Amino acid sequence: MVLPDREPMPTGPATDGTGPVRSRERFLQGEPVETGVRASILNSWQRCGLLGLSPDQDDLPFRDDFDPDGRIVRAAVPVLDRLQSRFAGSAMNISVADANGTVLLRRFGEASLARALPAIQRVPGFVFAERVAGTNGIGLALAERRLIRVYGAEHFAERSQGSACRALPVRDPLSGRIEGVLCFGYPRKLENPALDAVIRKAAGAIERRLLGQSSARGRALLRAYLDAGARTAAGLQRGIGVDELALELHPRDRSMLVGKATELISRGDRAAVDVYLSDGRRVTLVSRPVASASGVAGIAIEAVLPVLAPAPGKPLGVPRQADEPLGLAAAPADVPGGPLSGAAHAAPAPEHRAATAPYTILPGAESGQGITTGDADDAHDAADTTDHHPDPPPREGGLVLVGEPHVGAYALAARRRLELLSEVSTRIGTTLDIRRTAEELAETAVPRLADFVTIDLPEAVLRGEESTDPGSDLRRAVVHGIRDDLPFRPVGKRIDYGPTTPQLRCLTDGQAVLEPDLKAAAGWLAQDPEHTGQLLDHVHSLIAVPLVARGVVLGIAGFYRGQDPAPFGDDDRSLAQELATRAALSIDNARRYTRERTMVLALQRSLLPRGLPDQDAVEVAHRYLPAESDVGGDWYDVVPLSGARVGLFVGDVVGHGMLSAATMGRLRTAARSFAELDFPPDDVLTHLDNLVGRLDREDPASDGAGIIGATCLYAIYDPTSQRCTLARAGHPPPAVVQPDGTVSFPDLPAGPPLGLGGLPFEATEIHLPEDSQLVLYTDGLIEDRQRDVDVVLDQLREALAHPEHTPEEACEAILDTVAPAHPRDDIALLVARTHALAPERIATWDLPADPALVSDVRAAALRQLADWGLDEAAFAAELMLSELVTNAIRHGAGPIRVRLLHDRTLICEVSDASNTAPHLRRAAGTDEGGRGLFLVAQLSQSWGTRYLPQGKVIWAECGLAGV
């Protein structure tokens, strides 16, 4: 079946697996439904599903507080009585509901039907809104705002599967608001497409009765227009109202036409204006003066089109008679008490006529001064909505709006205020920056409300905190206007308002303060006579509005008018208050975000190294740059290691916010601990990988699926050999700058990110000559949606191709030329210039595992210390070497190597081929041994063991203070 609205409507049982019955079953079972059901019904089902409604729900909300004598009831009772007479003896159920879906009236074609039906279908007061009753005629008509047909299984509720219904919204002809819904319910077997025309005419009759309750001034103007149009219709070419175009017009086009019509009414003179639609067509709006017999003068706006519509995109011509005035005829007096009451001349809403579409409205028509209508001949149709008569021929002129000029001006101003308010949600609060949000408020208000705007915020609010005394610590945050040369206090200036100023009064009262004439505003003038005197040459009216959100005072907005000669009024004050209220919420959101970001950033910085350790292996510079939107988990570290070596870390914890910063702190602490145990880089990453996996498993929010991700790069540089060992876990490779300026990116095995587990990491060793630079960074430096990674790496190569730069200068160059202007991710950067330990500061002896050679090693070491001028450290070094060499000979395996390093400290190293590590223990008084390592620990600053691919190294450091 295809109904008059041309939407195919499957009916009846599902015989081939399609149709509404089968589609409903599939929908309720959670299967996808794409065919077999109309789009409006499927959309309604989906809304019902999201609301959690059950199809077997029997109970509906019942209200007994509805008005049984309201406007819609008074207008509908006579019409429903006639409909009941028309459908006498049938199973028709006629109802009228209000705009909330509450049934107000019920009528039945067969009296016994009222007794047989359940109370939910016969007693007024039950609510049939879609949100509680599911898909039904009344609820769907309110949701779709048009004529709705629902058949059998298209209903959501089980109780309605055997019935069908038609429902149509009933609108107030003046305001265009939906006042209620007229609904026909009947068994499916009584389906008849002719019911469309019946329900449209019945709803039109109800709307005409609603119009009869409106202003006599508006009706008088409308009657004058209709009477004049009836006298001159024979001489006009084909005209059309915007309501007749509505089926094919985009809502934006309809709004544009109505807005232009309102402007024409506010001008109060005769004119013709071309309005171009979005599809390229042109509609001509013609304004004509009209006056009623009682002397009410107004303007009527018509939309005029040629008789034949051209091809799409071709402009439409204007009739020759477009500029001819309508004849002004006296309107008959109102006939009180009758069913028409002077409203018989008002046309029914065009959506209730088969040939037309929804009508347009005049904003502000609730005052009774604006009228909307369709074809004029329908206005003289009889009130009997049940008789079938052929539609009269269309009138040759189409009415858009009728109203009085001053009311049109008010409506136009109201429309512009509404447009401004509608823009607030899109123009204010686009960022989480406090100052920028305040600037957006000023930019929105200028020039449509004010000529100049100033915004003052407390210093605490600018920091993201709450101000304890907002009136005393204000700072000028924004100055914006149509000119830049006015003597307002500049941005950043401290602002002190006196107790009598409008600004401080608005803070005290919590409401906007209007000063229509600043020359008479004593409190404002007394604030600073010299400064206010200068401003009075440019501004004359002020609205001061407090910025308050969630009970927090955020500042003051000042709206000034200077170029517009009209002072601010109460409507402007209300608008400024609404603008400030909406903007204050956005400013408060930005303030809260700033506070949280400051806290996270403070945590992040507290978990990063406070300073760099003292070591001579590399010269280091570092930078940390947080993302603009939020703080992440990027980190770096420099760890001094045994043997004059140094460990360099850089890492990145996935995500942003407090959790990422805290996880970064835990990861950095663990990484430093593993490094200080002298594990090689690949082993350190393996331990970190296990740690991240354990953190995931221990976190209840992860549910075992893994929520933490991290990358890391670890490098160990040895200044004695100028070799660097590196391993990475899913992290970008470093950049290496050779002493001649050559820049390369070593091809290191990538390794999996930390936390995946099960995959090994591989270390790579490279040679770094003295004065080379090793540059470690996180992905925030090179990865950006707006830039290609290869291009960024080329920029990084150019920035680093200056070997004469110090690490500090290299950091600055990288951030200036490579880092994105608005980083979306954190950036951690570490630049290390390598140094080499001079060969003359290294002494090495190789010896077999023979205890007789211990004395020879001691003697050679004492001579070397004397050559270095370290005689004062000789005693401690001699004892430590004696114990370490003896232990290596007794408990280790040859060959044995002894090495002395003269760095910031004196480092004694003894290596052997055994993997057995010594352990410090407390020897008993009767033990003959076990005191050697205790002596080493007492004589040295630190000592420890590190493992080699073949064997181990026992090392100890002696301080050289005073040497």
Side-chain angles (χ1 to χ4, degrees), residues 724-780:
C724 183
T725 306
L726 307 98
R728 63 184 179 125
H731 201 84
V736 175
V737 185
Q738 298 292 336
D740 61 358
T742 303
V743 180
S744 63
F745 298 92
D747 186 15
L748 306 181
L754 300 177
L756 295 183
L759 296 176
F761 299 95
E762 184 178 353
T764 300
E765 187 176 272
I766 60 176
H767 178 66
L768 292 180
E770 187 173 12
D771 288 331
S772 298
Q773 287 190 354
L774 184 66
V775 181
L776 287 69
Y777 52 87
T778 56
D779 57 3

Coordinates of all heavy atoms in Angstrom, one line a residue, residues 724-780:
C724 N 78.3 2.9 23.2 CA 77.0 3.1 23.8 C 76.1 1.9 23.4 O 76.0 1.5 22.3 CB 76.4 4.4 23.2 SG 74.7 4.8 23.9
T725 N 75.5 1.3 24.4 CA 74.6 0.2 24.3 C 73.1 0.7 24.4 O 72.8 1.3 25.5 CB 74.9 -0.9 25.3 OG1 76.3 -1.2 25.2 CG2 74.0 -2.1 25.0
L726 N 72.3 0.4 23.5 CA 70.9 0.9 23.5 C 69.9 -0.2 23.2 O 70.2 -1.2 22.5 CB 70.7 2.0 22.4 CG 71.6 3.1 22.3 CD1 72.7 2.9 21.3 CD2 70.9 4.4 21.9
A727 N 68.7 -0.1 23.8 CA 67.6 -1.0 23.6 C 66.3 -0.1 23.7 O 66.3 0.8 24.5 CB 67.6 -2.1 24.5
R728 N 65.3 -0.5 22.9 CA 64.1 0.3 23.0 C 62.9 -0.6 23.0 O 62.9 -1.7 22.4 CB 64.0 1.3 21.8 CG 64.0 0.7 20.4 CD 64.0 1.8 19.4 NE 64.0 1.3 18.0 CZ 63.1 1.6 17.1 NH1 62.1 2.4 17.4 NH2 63.1 1.1 15.9
A729 N 61.8 -0.1 23.6 CA 60.5 -0.9 23.6 C 59.5 0.0 23.0 O 58.8 0.8 23.6 CB 60.2 -1.2 25.1
G730 N 59.3 -0.2 21.7 CA 58.3 0.6 20.9 C 58.5 2.0 20.9 O 57.6 2.8 20.6
H731 N 59.7 2.5 21.1 CA 60.0 4.0 21.2 C 60.7 4.4 20.0 O 61.4 3.7 19.3 CB 60.8 4.2 22.5 CG 60.7 5.7 22.9 ND1 59.8 6.1 23.8 CD2 61.5 6.7 22.7 CE1 59.9 7.4 24.0 NE2 61.0 7.8 23.3
P732 N 60.5 5.7 19.6 CA 61.3 6.2 18.4 C 62.8 6.1 18.7 O 63.2 6.3 19.8 CB 60.8 7.7 18.3 CG 59.5 7.7 19.0 CD 59.6 6.7 20.1
P733 N 63.5 5.8 17.6 CA 65.0 5.7 17.8 C 65.6 7.1 18.1 O 65.0 8.1 17.7 CB 65.4 5.1 16.4 CG 64.4 5.5 15.5 CD 63.1 5.5 16.2
P734 N 66.8 7.1 18.6 CA 67.4 8.4 18.9 C 68.1 8.9 17.7 O 68.2 8.3 16.6 CB 68.5 8.0 20.0 CG 68.9 6.6 19.6 CD 67.6 5.9 19.1
A735 N 68.5 10.2 17.8 CA 69.3 10.8 16.8 C 70.8 10.9 17.3 O 71.0 11.2 18.5 CB 68.8 12.2 16.4
V736 N 71.7 10.6 16.4 CA 73.1 10.7 16.7 C 73.8 11.7 15.9 O 73.7 11.7 14.7 CB 73.8 9.3 16.5 CG1 75.3 9.4 16.8 CG2 73.2 8.3 17.5
V737 N 74.5 12.7 16.5 CA 75.2 13.7 15.8 C 76.7 13.5 16.0 O 77.2 13.6 17.1 CB 74.8 15.1 16.4 CG1 75.4 16.2 15.6 CG2 73.3 15.3 16.4
Q738 N 77.3 13.2 14.9 CA 78.8 13.0 14.9 C 79.5 14.4 15.1 O 78.9 15.4 14.9 CB 79.2 12.3 13.6 CG 78.6 11.0 13.4 CD 79.1 9.9 14.4 OE1 80.2 10.1 15.0 NE2 78.3 8.9 14.6
P739 N 80.8 14.3 15.6 CA 81.5 15.6 15.7 C 81.6 16.4 14.5 O 81.8 17.6 14.6 CB 82.9 15.1 16.2 CG 82.6 13.7 16.8 CD 81.5 13.1 16.0
D740 N 81.5 15.8 13.3 CA 81.6 16.6 12.1 C 80.2 17.1 11.6 O 80.1 17.7 10.5 CB 82.2 15.7 10.9 CG 81.3 14.5 10.6 OD1 80.3 14.3 11.3 OD2 81.7 13.7 9.7
G741 N 79.2 16.9 12.4 CA 77.9 17.4 12.1 C 77.0 16.4 11.4 O 75.8 16.8 11.1
T742 N 77.4 15.3 11.1 CA 76.6 14.2 10.4 C 75.5 13.8 11.4 O 75.8 13.4 12.5 CB 77.4 13.1 9.9 OG1 78.5 13.6 9.0 CG2 76.6 12.0 9.2
V743 N 74.3 13.7 10.9 CA 73.2 13.3 11.8 C 72.6 12.0 11.2 O 72.4 11.9 10.0 CB 72.1 14.4 11.8 CG1 70.9 13.9 12.7 CG2 72.6 15.7 12.3
S744 N 72.4 11.0 12.1 CA 71.9 9.7 11.7 C 70.9 9.3 12.7 O 70.9 9.7 13.9 CB 73.0 8.7 11.5 OG 73.7 8.5 12.7
F745 N 70.0 8.3 12.3 CA 69.1 7.7 13.2 C 69.4 6.2 13.2 O 69.0 5.5 12.3 CB 67.6 8.0 12.8 CG 67.3 9.4 12.7 CD1 67.4 10.2 11.6 CD2 66.8 10.0 13.9 CE1 67.1 11.5 11.6 CE2 66.4 11.4 13.9 CZ 66.6 12.1 12.7
P746 N 70.1 5.7 14.2 CA 70.5 4.3 14.2 C 69.3 3.4 14.1 O 68.2 3.6 14.7 CB 71.1 4.1 15.6 CG 71.5 5.5 16.0 CD 70.5 6.4 15.4
D747 N 69.5 2.3 13.3 CA 68.4 1.3 13.1 C 68.4 0.3 14.2 O 69.0 -0.8 14.1 CB 68.6 0.6 11.7 CG 67.5 -0.3 11.4 OD1 66.4 -0.2 12.0 OD2 67.6 -1.1 10.5
L748 N 67.7 0.7 15.3 CA 67.7 -0.2 16.5 C 66.5 -1.2 16.4 O 65.4 -0.8 15.8 CB 67.5 0.6 17.8 CG 68.6 1.7 18.0 CD1 68.3 2.4 19.3 CD2 70.0 1.2 18.0
P749 N 66.6 -2.4 16.8 CA 65.4 -3.3 16.9 C 64.3 -2.6 17.7 O 64.6 -2.1 18.8 CB 66.0 -4.5 17.6 CG 67.4 -4.5 17.3 CD 67.8 -3.0 17.3
A750 N 63.1 -2.5 17.1 CA 62.1 -1.7 17.8 C 61.6 -2.3 19.1 O 61.5 -1.5 20.1 CB 60.9 -1.6 16.8
G751 N 61.4 -3.6 19.2 CA 60.9 -4.1 20.5 C 59.5 -3.8 20.7 O 59.0 -2.7 20.2
P752 N 58.7 -4.6 21.4 CA 57.3 -4.3 21.6 C 57.2 -3.3 22.7 O 58.1 -3.1 23.6 CB 56.8 -5.7 22.1 CG 57.9 -6.3 22.7 CD 59.1 -5.9 22.0
P753 N 56.1 -2.5 22.8 CA 55.8 -1.6 23.9 C 55.8 -2.4 25.2 O 55.5 -3.6 25.2 CB 54.5 -1.0 23.6 CG 54.3 -1.1 22.1 CD 55.0 -2.4 21.7
L754 N 56.0 -1.7 26.3 CA 56.0 -2.3 27.6 C 54.6 -2.8 28.0 O 53.7 -2.1 27.7 CB 56.6 -1.4 28.6 CG 58.0 -0.8 28.4 CD1 58.3 0.2 29.5 CD2 59.0 -2.0 28.4
G755 N 54.5 -4.0 28.6 CA 53.3 -4.5 29.0 C 52.7 -5.6 28.2 O 51.8 -6.3 28.6
L756 N 53.2 -5.8 26.9 CA 52.7 -6.8 26.1 C 53.1 -8.2 26.6 O 52.4 -9.2 26.6 CB 53.1 -6.6 24.6 CG 52.5 -5.4 23.9 CD1 52.9 -5.3 22.5 CD2 51.0 -5.4 24.0
G757 N 54.4 -8.3 27.0 CA 54.9 -9.5 27.5 C 55.2 -10.6 26.5 O 54.6 -10.6 25.4
G758 N 56.1 -11.5 26.8 CA 56.4 -12.6 26.0 C 57.3 -12.4 24.8 O 57.8 -13.4 24.2
L759 N 57.7 -11.2 24.5 CA 58.6 -11.0 23.4 C 59.9 -10.4 23.9 O 59.9 -9.5 24.8 CB 58.0 -10.0 22.4 CG 56.7 -10.5 21.7 CD1 56.2 -9.4 20.8 CD2 57.0 -11.7 20.9
P760 N 61.1 -10.8 23.4 CA 62.4 -10.4 24.0 C 62.7 -9.0 23.4 O 62.2 -8.5 22.4 CB 63.3 -11.4 23.5 CG 62.7 -11.9 22.2 CD 61.2 -11.9 22.4
F761 N 63.6 -8.4 24.1 CA 64.2 -7.1 23.7 C 65.7 -7.3 23.3 O 66.3 -8.2 23.8 CB 64.1 -6.1 24.8 CG 62.7 -5.7 25.2 CD1 62.2 -6.4 26.3 CD2 62.0 -4.8 24.6 CE1 60.9 -6.1 26.8 CE2 60.7 -4.5 25.0 CZ 60.2 -5.2 26.1
E762 N 66.1 -6.6 22.3 CA 67.5 -6.7 21.8 C 68.3 -5.4 21.9 O 67.7 -4.4 21.6 CB 67.4 -7.2 20.3 CG 68.7 -7.5 19.7 CD 68.6 -8.0 18.3 OE1 67.5 -8.2 17.9 OE2 69.6 -8.1 17.6
A763 N 69.5 -5.6 22.4 CA 70.3 -4.4 22.6 C 71.3 -4.3 21.4 O 71.7 -5.3 20.8 CB 71.1 -4.5 23.9
T764 N 71.7 -3.0 21.1 CA 72.6 -2.7 20.0 C 73.7 -1.8 20.5 O 73.4 -0.9 21.3 CB 71.9 -2.1 18.8 OG1 70.9 -2.9 18.3 CG2 72.9 -1.7 17.7
E765 N 74.9 -2.1 20.1 CA 76.1 -1.3 20.6 C 76.6 -0.4 19.4 O 76.8 -0.9 18.3 CB 77.2 -2.2 21.1 CG 78.3 -1.4 21.8 CD 79.3 -2.3 22.4 OE1 79.1 -2.7 23.6 OE2 80.3 -2.7 21.7
I766 N 76.8 0.9 19.7 CA 77.3 1.8 18.6 C 78.5 2.5 19.2 O 78.7 2.7 20.5 CB 76.3 2.8 18.1 CG1 75.7 3.6 19.3 CG2 75.1 2.0 17.4 CD1 74.8 4.7 18.8
H767 N 79.4 3.0 18.4 CA 80.5 3.8 18.8 C 80.2 5.3 18.7 O 79.7 5.8 17.7 CB 81.7 3.5 17.9 CG 83.0 4.3 18.2 ND1 83.6 4.1 19.4 CD2 83.6 5.3 17.5 CE1 84.7 5.0 19.4 NE2 84.7 5.7 18.3
L768 N 80.5 6.0 19.8 CA 80.2 7.4 19.9 C 81.5 8.2 20.2 O 82.0 8.2 21.3 CB 79.2 7.8 21.0 CG 77.7 7.3 20.7 CD1 76.9 7.7 21.9 CD2 77.2 7.9 19.4
P769 N 82.1 8.7 19.2 CA 83.4 9.5 19.4 C 83.1 10.6 20.4 O 82.0 11.1 20.6 CB 83.8 10.0 18.1 CG 83.0 9.1 17.1 CD 81.8 8.7 17.8
E770 N 84.2 11.1 21.0 CA 84.1 12.2 21.9 C 83.5 13.4 21.2 O 83.8 13.7 20.1 CB 85.4 12.5 22.6 CG 85.3 13.6 23.6 CD 86.6 13.8 24.4 OE1 87.7 13.3 23.9 OE2 86.6 14.5 25.4
D771 N 82.6 14.1 21.9 CA 81.9 15.3 21.4 C 80.8 14.9 20.4 O 80.3 15.8 19.7 CB 82.8 16.3 20.7 CG 83.7 17.0 21.7 OD1 83.2 17.2 22.9 OD2 84.8 17.4 21.4
S772 N 80.4 13.7 20.4 CA 79.2 13.3 19.7 C 78.0 13.7 20.6 O 78.1 13.9 21.8 CB 79.1 11.8 19.5 OG 80.2 11.4 18.6
Q773 N 76.8 13.8 19.9 CA 75.6 14.1 20.7 C 74.6 13.0 20.5 O 74.3 12.6 19.3 CB 75.0 15.4 20.2 CG 75.8 16.7 20.7 CD 75.0 18.0 20.4 OE1 74.0 18.0 19.8 NE2 75.6 19.1 20.9
L774 N 74.0 12.5 21.6 CA 72.9 11.6 21.5 C 71.6 12.3 21.9 O 71.5 12.8 23.0 CB 73.2 10.4 22.5 CG 72.3 9.2 22.5 CD1 72.3 8.5 21.2 CD2 72.6 8.3 23.6
V775 N 70.6 12.3 21.0 CA 69.4 13.0 21.2 C 68.2 12.0 21.4 O 67.9 11.2 20.5 CB 69.1 13.9 20.0 CG1 67.8 14.7 20.3 CG2 70.3 14.9 19.8
L776 N 67.7 12.0 22.6 CA 66.5 11.1 22.9 C 65.3 11.9 23.0 O 65.3 13.0 23.6 CB 66.8 10.3 24.2 CG 67.8 9.2 24.2 CD1 69.2 9.7 24.0 CD2 67.7 8.3 25.4
Y777 N 64.1 11.5 22.6 CA 62.9 12.3 22.6 C 61.7 11.3 22.6 O 61.8 10.1 22.3 CB 62.9 13.2 21.3 CG 63.1 12.4 20.0 CD1 62.1 11.8 19.3 CD2 64.4 12.3 19.5 CE1 62.3 11.1 18.2 CE2 64.6 11.6 18.3 CZ 63.6 11.0 17.7 OH 63.8 10.3 16.5
T778 N 60.6 11.9 22.9 CA 59.3 11.1 22.8 C 58.6 11.4 21.5 O 58.9 12.4 20.8 CB 58.4 11.4 24.1 OG1 58.2 12.8 24.1 CG2 59.1 11.0 25.3
D779 N 57.5 10.6 21.3 CA 56.9 10.8 20.0 C 56.1 12.1 19.8 O 55.8 12.4 18.7 CB 55.9 9.6 19.7 CG 54.9 9.4 20.9 OD1 54.9 10.3 21.8 OD2 54.1 8.5 20.8
G780 N 55.8 12.8 20.9 CA 55.2 14.1 20.8 C 55.9 15.1 20.0 O 55.4 16.0 19.4

